[in-house]
Amino acid sequence: MGAPSERPERPGKIVILTGAGVSAESGLGTFRDKGGVWTKYDLNEVATPDGFARDPAKVHDFYNARRANAAGARPNAAHGALARLQAEYPGEVVLITQNVDALHEAAGARAIHMHGRLDEACCAACGAVWTAPLQMFPQDPCPECGAQETRPNIVWFGEIPQELDTIALHLEGADLFAAIGTSGQVYPAAGFVEEATRWGARTVELNLEPSDLARLFDEQIGGPASESVPAWVDRLLG
Ligand code: BV8
């Protein structure tokens, strides 16, 4: 380690965006890789409000299967490292995830779920949110208002992601922005790197291979998240 004056300035505030790649090694499929979720299902049928209105049973089947799969998944070393960073880093560490699984929480981290959560249900009539049962069905009544308009608490395509105002404030204050395991295909999340850059943050992408947005980052770290993220966290905590 060089003299203190040569040591790179520790970023005060780190903002991290994760995608499906951080949960891939926990056995949860990604969306756009070979064999990914969107290669098996038509997202217009199972991840849009129109799809749900057309065939709610099909959409519930889709999420019931993913909920059951996620229930058996365990956090991997990447989730653990991010929880350690959040607990031990001397500055603020904000974790924003596009994922709807609860593996960040299972590893002890706190995350902003901008696309909602598989383990939550909500009522389209009164807005109530509760812990989802493992299996949901179209005729389930809302525990608050009784309306049979319950749905997974998931942000579908065409719907506005959750906590965008809070996220905008975090991006404004970020000294370092990291995108981990995301293909950068879905907006507005894919636009966060440009927003953080505009506010003067340094940016790094950690991905199995460079994403389509890699050129927008100051630094690119390759390899599987279960290896690259713990090494990256060790450097930040070192
Ligand atoms: C919005 C919940 C307006 C569902 C998701 C036409 C009509 C309507 C909207 C649009 C339109 N055209 C474009 C849009 C915007 C649209 C969009 O971006 N579409 C894309 C397809 C072009 N976006 C929206 O609709 C959003 N809402 O725009 O509202 C608005 C916005 C702001 C303000 C006012 C109004 C809502 C988008 C949310 C949709 N819901 N999730 C569910 O999960 O069932 S998004 C969906 O993609 C997934 O859920 C996932 O979360 C997300 C991102 O995917 P990734 O996480 O990146 O996963 P992916 O498979 O793509 O990539 C995996 C990566 O991991 C790869 O890079 C791979 O290399 C890497 N990897 C793999 N293994 C590893 C690894 N890395 C490390 N280690 C490994 N081992």
Side-chain angles (χ1 to χ4, degrees), residues 6-116:
E6 293 156 18
R7 191 168 62 194
E9 194 48 40
R10 263 189 199 274
K13 176 167 182 171
I14 304 174
V15 176
I16 298 164
L17 172 72
T18 62
V22 87
S23 297
E25 291 162 271
S26 295
L28 296 187
T30 63
F31 292 88
R32 295 168 184 85
D33 291 325
K34 202 165 32 50
V37 174
W38 299 142
T39 65
K40 295 177 191 148
Y41 293 89
D42 175 353
L43 68 84
N44 294 299
E45 286 182 12
V46 294
T48 62
D50 292 347
F52 186 62
R54 247 191 327 273
D55 190 344
K58 172 188 277 193
V59 175
H60 277 306
D61 285 349
F62 173 64
Y63 285 101
N64 289 343
R66 286 180 59 201
R67 200 173 291 115
N69 188 30
R74 292 287 163 267
N76 64 60
H79 298 104
L82 292 175
R84 185 158 61 86
L85 182 67
Q86 213 168 37
E88 297 173 14
Y89 191 71
E92 188 183 0
V93 177
V94 174
L95 192 48
I96 302 160
T97 188
Q98 300 172 89
N99 299 338
V100 293
D101 63 58
L103 293 178
H104 283 305
E105 289 76 10
R110 292 174 318 286
I112 296 172
H113 283 262
M114 63 180 292
H115 291 161

